[in-house]
Each structure stands twice: as structure tokens, then as C-alpha cells.
Amino acid sequence: MNSRTEPAEAEGEPETPARPSLIRELLLVAGLFLVYKLGRQLATGHTADAFRNARHVWHLERSVHLPHETAVQSALLHGDTLVHLANTYYATVHFPATLAFLVWLYLRRPAHYVWARRVLAVLTTAALVLPFTFPLAPPRMLTGTGLVDTARLYGPSVYGPPSSDHLSNQFAAMPSLHFGWALMVAIGLMAATRSRWRGLWLLHPLVTLLVIVGTANHYWLDAVVATAMLGLALAVVPAPRRTASTAGRGSGLPKPREAVVLAGAGR
């Protein structure tokens, strides 16, 4: 009786999905960032509505007993260094961190990259609707709250006077895409890796939340709404399937061996 071994044919989708065209992805990601910037500019105006809505949000937070934004800002104002770091984080981490996240996924986890890019596109597009229907002045512009504009006082600041700032719409505080994108970065990295320490990626949205509130650029509810929108985006965009190579990578477990078929045995 002769016996020989043959590797079983791979079934299902390949372990390493095809990487999307680089040129197409560069255009798509650039378009995503342009939608973010230009979409907010189109929603300018409605200053009176923005301040009226800001008062409503402020009183709603107090009525539901959310933590007071001034408590976070007071902690930052204990030293010039800490508040300066918070302003720098707000000004410099948002876009580069998201771009680095997408680049890493594109190079190392193509299937997760396509998923994350689609989720971010859905979230960003949906978030641009609110400034048209619910313009909102940030808490740093409200009087009588005890909050100050830390970026203007301590620097660095990414905003100029609202009347002359043509690069951004400062009355589009809700939802906070700073927080929404940061939370997606953490979720995406946790889904794409299998390290036992991957939960530490949640520090990014946590620090972002404290920064956007402490610098008085956003209310707590801005982050709550961003979280809800991200949840909807994750619900409508199918997640990538988990492959054998992804499951074994970084988990400390050996990769499953190839199935072996004994041909000719028992004949």
C-alpha cells in the first residue's frame, strides 16, 4: 500500500487580500480630507442660531448631570506646560494620527484598510450634515461659563477670529470629528491586531476627549454624538473577515498547520 501526502487546497478567501490601487486610494483619502474641510466651510453663517444652540447644549448637560467642562480645564490650567501640550495635541495630532493609521493598514492589513476607510467616509459625510441643521458655537465662545480659550491665551491656536477665519467653520462643534476619528483609529487598530496590549489604543480617544473638552473646543455631548454616529457607521459597513494569519499573529499562539490529506491510504 502506497501513501503520499498532499496539502489540502485553500478554501475561502485568501489570507492576504489584494491591496487596493495606491493612486486610487490616495485620491479617495485626499477626497475624504477635502470633504471634511470644505464641507464645514459650506455650513458657515447662522451665528445667532449657533450661540442659541450652545446655550441649549450647555443647560442640557447640566440638567442630565454631565461632568462640568470647567473641571477638566481647571486641571489643565495648573501649569503653562500642561495646557500648552493640550493645545499642541489638539492642533497637531488629529490629521497625522488618522493618516498614519490609514497608511499602516494599507501596507499591513489591506482588508481592514478598506473597512476603516469606508467607516471614516460614512462618519465624516454624516457629520457634515449637522452644521447645516444644528450650528453650534464651541464652549470657548460662551460667556458666563468660567471657560477660557486656552489656545488663544497660551498657544498654539489653529483658529483665527471667527469673522476672518475662512479656513474652518468654528460654529460646527457638533459632532466632534476629533473624537470620532480618534475612536475609530483605536477600534481599527484593536480589530487589526491581536496583541494582548491592544486595548491601550483606547488611550488615544481618551486623551483626545480630555483635550477637546479641556481646551473648551467641544462639549461632552459633541463626543457623545460622534460616538453614536460612529456606531451607526460601523453597523452599516461590513467588517473584514478574520483570517487564520490574522488570528495567529501577535496572539502568542502558533499558526495552524496545513491540513494534510493521506492519498492512497486504505486502498
Side-chain angles (χ1 to χ4, degrees):
M1 178 177 62
N2 295 326
S3 65
R4 58 189 175 88
T5 59
E6 295 176 353
E9 292 184 358
E11 297 181 358
E13 61 184 27
E15 290 191 356
T16 305
R19 186 173 289 112
S21 166
L22 178 60
I23 299 300
R24 190 191 73 163
E25 292 307 312
L26 287 175
L27 292 175
L28 287 173
V29 173
L32 175 64
F33 282 88
L34 285 175
V35 166
Y36 173 85
K37 297 299 291 184
L38 296 179
R40 290 200 161 196
Q41 290 184 42
L42 294 175
T44 55
H46 308 290
T47 302
D49 290 338
F51 279 100
R52 182 166 53 251
N53 291 335
R55 290 293 177 188
H56 292 330
V57 168
W58 182 263
H59 292 305
L60 176 60
E61 287 187 341
R62 307 291 78 80
S63 65
V64 297
H65 305 292
L66 284 177
H68 210 295
E69 285 86 349
T70 55
V72 181
Q73 186 170 95
S74 296
L76 292 182
L77 294 177
H78 276 307
D80 292 355
T81 301
L82 188 58
V83 69
H84 184 79
L85 286 174
N87 292 333
T88 302
Y89 193 96
Y90 181 86
T92 63
V93 173
H94 177 47
F95 281 109
T98 307
L99 183 59
F101 162 69
L102 290 173
V103 169
W104 185 85
L105 286 183
Y106 179 84
L107 296 175
R108 302 294 300 274
R109 305 287 191 276
H112 285 83
Y113 163 78
V114 174
W115 165 68
R117 188 249 294 153
R118 288 173 178 169
V119 171
L120 286 171
V122 171
L123 170 63
T124 303
T125 303
L128 293 176
V129 175
L130 267 182
F132 290 97
T133 58
F134 193 77
L136 183 65
R140 58 186 165 81
M141 293 184 181
L142 283 182
T143 58
T145 62
L147 294 168
V148 298
D149 187 343
T150 61
R152 182 178 60 84
L153 294 176
Y154 299 92
S157 177
V158 295
Y159 302 118
S163 59
S164 60
D165 184 1
H166 303 296
L167 296 178
S168 60
N169 178 14
Q170 298 187 46
F171 299 108
M174 182 180 288
S176 170
L177 284 180
H178 264 75
F179 181 76
W181 284 15
L183 185 58
M184 182 55 204
V185 168
I187 291 174
L189 289 172
M190 290 172 64
T193 59
R194 290 293 175 265
S195 168
R196 68 182 64 184
W197 303 105
R198 64 186 184 277
L200 292 176
W201 289 115
L202 289 172
L203 289 175
H204 176 44
L206 176 59
V207 172
T208 299
L209 177 61
L210 295 178
V211 164
I212 63 176
V213 171
T215 57
N217 282 293
H218 287 283
Y219 307 89
W220 295 112
L221 284 179
D222 296 341
V224 172
V225 173
T227 303
M229 285 187 165
L230 177 58
L232 291 174
L234 289 169
V236 300
V237 178
R241 293 180 60 183
R242 181 177 175 182
T243 62
S245 61
T246 304
R249 185 184 295 112
S251 64
L253 299 176
K255 291 184 179 180
R257 294 182 178 179
E258 286 185 327
V260 176
V261 177
L262 296 179
R267 292 183 182 174

